């Protein structure tokens, strides 16, 4: 069994009303900001050490983290705790009902007013102080404990949001200490039950998941969420509507399954943890080579016709989102093209892997991978239990499949990497995982 020093901490990161909310472009265009709080949002940390190596995992109920934010936050936490910068993992749950936190991506920055940008910076400064506090407490609270593992399947929560008949990942993985003080909770789904009309802070369905988990453990239990390859995974075809009641219903489904898994755990074998930091050099997309403007104009006409034939609410939502984004991107074509040129022809993307004991690995990725890629990593990994944690250690947008690139669906429009990038990234990750924990 794996004995480690492990500690948990939870910090409330809910600000006062008035901040722009991240995620839905419609709110930026309407110049809408948060009016209050539906559910408090949190940053949660887990510290782990085998006596030789140490690592810190922080999960925050926000949309994503800018790359500069990661660099700054890692430095601040390192200076205060001594934890190596490259051993500090920052992951976002990707809720669309928290203050805006990213401004580097042109597809978000273009819609932020100067005041929005100022408020985003202000909130990020506040967030860094909270992440630092969570980090220090998690390390200070660390005690020796056995590390346990559990797995389950959560039904009727999430499907492929492009086509519910396509691949999905309903696996949840739990890593917890033998004292049940907190746990890593890996799941794969966009927390977007609450729509663009919601102007209240919330972790979305995860707020209600946390309530259920704390009811079956304790109020002090810390659920550290890691969202997987959810680029095309959401509640779109499962939810009845986008109400608070529906967010609660779906959150409770996940919470009950987590509670069930917490009663069926096995020890993780091994004696140590290890961190491997990888860097992939991948190609940035070239809009001229793609004939992007010509294709997007054609795609808009196709979507307008498809909208006339849509037969379900989920289908209409998908087409409406694609059409809305295509029209916006076409209007911002020059800005988008110039933004891509700032990267040069290639971009260096960091991937961090935390190996735990003999049979667990967590892969931290600064992208929104499509589910197919996440499943491929899990299936081909030489590590028995492999967790994919997207929205981690930065943000470079979506990494869609070839079909989505061809169709210019929403996710392909919110992407800075070329189609060939997926092959290069997966090859590098699987090469490191192929030999097992090592």
């Amino acid at each position: 069994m794996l004995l480690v020093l492990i500690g948990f901490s939870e910090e409330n990161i809910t600000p006062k009303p008035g901040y722009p909310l991240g995620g839905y472009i419609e709110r930026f265009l309407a110049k809408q900001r948060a009016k209050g709080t539906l559910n408090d949002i949190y940053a949660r940390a887990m510290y782990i050490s085998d006596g030789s190596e140490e690592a810190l995992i922080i999960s925050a109920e926000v949309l994503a983290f800018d790359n500069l934010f990661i660099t700054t936050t890692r430095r601040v936490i390192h200076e205060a705790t001594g934890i190596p910068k490259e051993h500090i993992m920052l992951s976002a749950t990707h809720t669309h009902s928290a203050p805006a936190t990213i401004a580097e991506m042109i597809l978000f920055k273009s819609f932020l007013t100067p005041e929005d940008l100022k408020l985003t910076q202000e909130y990020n400064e506040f967030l860094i102080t909270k992440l630092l506090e969570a980090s220090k407490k998690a390390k200070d609270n660390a005690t020796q404990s056995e590390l346990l593992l559990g797995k389950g399947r959560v039904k009727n929560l999430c499907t492929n949001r492009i086509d519910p008949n396509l691949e999905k990942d309903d696996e949840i993985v739990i890593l917890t200490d033998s004292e049940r003080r907190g746990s890593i909770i890996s799941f794969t789904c966009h927390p977007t039950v609450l729509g663009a009309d919601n102007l209240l802070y919330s972790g979305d369905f995860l707020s209600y998941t946390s309530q259920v988990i704390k009811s079956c453990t304790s109020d002090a239990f810390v659920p550290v969420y890691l969202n997987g390859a959810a680029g095309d995974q959401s509640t779109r075809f499962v939810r009845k509507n986008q109400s608070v009641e529906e967010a609660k219903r779906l959150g409770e489904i996940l919470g009950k399954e987590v509670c069930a898994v917490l009663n069926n755990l096995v020890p993780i074998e091994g004696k140590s943890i290890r961190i491997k930091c990888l860097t992939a050099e991948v190609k940035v997309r070239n809009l001229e080579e793609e004939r992007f403007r010509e294709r997007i104009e054609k795609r808009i006409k196709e979507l307008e016709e498809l909208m006339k034939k849509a037969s379900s609410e989920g289908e209409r939502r998908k087409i409406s989102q694609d059409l809305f984004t295509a029209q916006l991107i076409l209007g911002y074509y020059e800005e988008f093209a110039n933004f891509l040129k700032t990267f040069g022809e290639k971009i260096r993307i960091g991937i961090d892997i935390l190996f735990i004991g003999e049979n667990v690995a967590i892969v931290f990725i600064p992208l929104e991978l499509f589910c197919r890629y996440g499943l491929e990593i899990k299936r081909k990994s030489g590590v028995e239990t492999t967790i994919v944690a997207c929205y981690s250690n930065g943000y470079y947008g979506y990494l869609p499949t070839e079909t989505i690139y061809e169709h210019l669906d929403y996710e392909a429009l919110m992407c800075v990497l070329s189609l060939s990038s997926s092959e290069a990234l997966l090859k590098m990750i699987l090469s490191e995982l192929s030999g097992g924990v090592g």
Side-chain angles (χ1 to χ4, degrees), residues 132-424:
L132 173 60
E133 196 63 28
S135 302
K136 292 191 293 186
K137 288 180 180 178
K139 184 170 183 176
D140 290 345
N141 293 340
T143 59
Q144 190 174 65
S145 178
E146 185 180 358
L147 202 57
L148 306 173
L149 169 70
K151 297 182 183 180
R153 297 278 175 184
V154 58
K155 306 297 183 183
N156 303 315
L157 171 68
C158 205
T159 63
N160 193 296
R161 70 179 185 179
I162 294 169
D163 181 342
N165 297 311
L166 293 176
E167 54 273 311
K168 66 177 181 179
D169 187 354
D170 59 7
E171 181 182 52
I172 61 171
V173 181
I174 310 294
L175 299 178
T176 188
D177 66 317
S178 51
E179 302 300 318
R180 303 294 198 282
R181 290 176 296 150
S183 70
I184 293 293
I185 300 172
S186 167
F187 72 105
T188 304
C189 190
H190 259 71
T192 50
V193 178
L194 302 175
D197 60 343
N198 173 58
L199 299 179
L200 302 176
Y201 301 126
S202 175
D204 206 276
F205 66 75
L206 289 175
S207 291
Y208 302 101
T209 298
S210 298
Q211 291 175 11
V212 173
I213 295 171
K214 287 176 180 286
S215 72
C216 76
T217 53
S218 72
D219 286 340
F221 190 90
V222 180
V224 183
Y225 297 106
L226 297 180
N227 202 347
D232 57 351
Q233 305 290 295
S234 84
T235 63
R236 177 175 296 160
F237 293 103
V238 175
R239 65 190 180 225
K240 299 174 182 177
N241 50 54
Q242 292 192 273
S243 66
V244 173
E245 292 74 23
E246 188 65 357
K248 183 174 186 292
R249 183 183 74 85
L250 292 172
E252 289 177 348
I253 289 174
L254 177 57
K256 289 174 183 177
E257 181 59 26
V258 171
C259 288
V261 173
L262 284 170
N263 289 319
N264 189 25
L265 302 167
V266 296
I268 294 176
E269 299 300 327
K271 297 182 179 180
S272 64
I273 65 172
R274 177 172 67 90
I275 293 174
K276 183 70 175 182
C277 302
L278 310 173
T279 301
E281 193 172 70
V282 293
K283 190 176 179 182
V284 176
R285 70 191 304 181
N286 185 306
L287 300 188
E288 291 182 6
E289 288 181 2
E290 293 182 31
R291 296 183 296 110
F292 188 84
R293 189 196 294 272
E294 174 188 337
R295 290 171 56 227
I296 202 170
E297 289 172 345
K298 179 181 177 182
R299 182 59 174 160
I300 287 172
K301 293 178 182 178
E302 292 173 350
L303 290 167
E304 288 171 343
E305 290 301 313
L306 287 171
M307 181 61 83
K308 297 174 184 177
K309 302 173 185 177
S311 58
S312 70
E313 181 57 35
E315 190 179 2
R316 282 189 291 273
R317 168 65 180 163
K318 170 71 176 71
I319 297 170
S320 174
Q321 184 182 48
D322 289 346
L323 180 58
F324 175 75
T325 309
Q327 291 168 335
L328 278 174
I329 295 298
L330 184 60
Y332 281 87
Y333 176 84
E334 295 300 332
E335 288 89 341
F336 187 27
N338 290 332
F339 170 69
L340 293 176
K341 289 176 183 177
T342 64
F343 293 109
E345 292 186 1
K346 292 187 177 181
I347 187 171
R348 294 167 63 85
I349 292 186
I351 307 291
D352 302 298
I353 305 177
L354 171 61
F355 295 96
I356 302 175
E358 296 176 355
N359 57 347
V360 177
I362 307 177
V363 185
F364 295 91
I365 304 172
L367 289 158
E368 294 194 57
L369 292 189
F370 265 38
C371 180
R372 181 183 301 175
Y373 299 136
L375 291 174
E376 183 176 348
I377 291 171
K378 290 182 177 183
R379 184 175 66 253
K380 294 182 178 179
S381 173
V383 182
E384 182 180 348
T385 299
T386 298
I387 295 170
V388 175
C390 292
Y391 314 100
S392 298
N393 299 335
Y395 186 73
Y396 292 97
Y398 284 90
L399 190 63
T401 58
E402 183 176 1
T403 302
I404 300 305
Y405 271 99
E406 291 174 354
H407 288 178
L408 284 180
D409 285 1
Y410 164 77
E411 294 84 1
L413 298 172
M414 302 289 280
C415 174
V416 302
L417 304 182
S418 69
L419 177 58
S420 63
S421 300
S422 59
E423 182 179 351

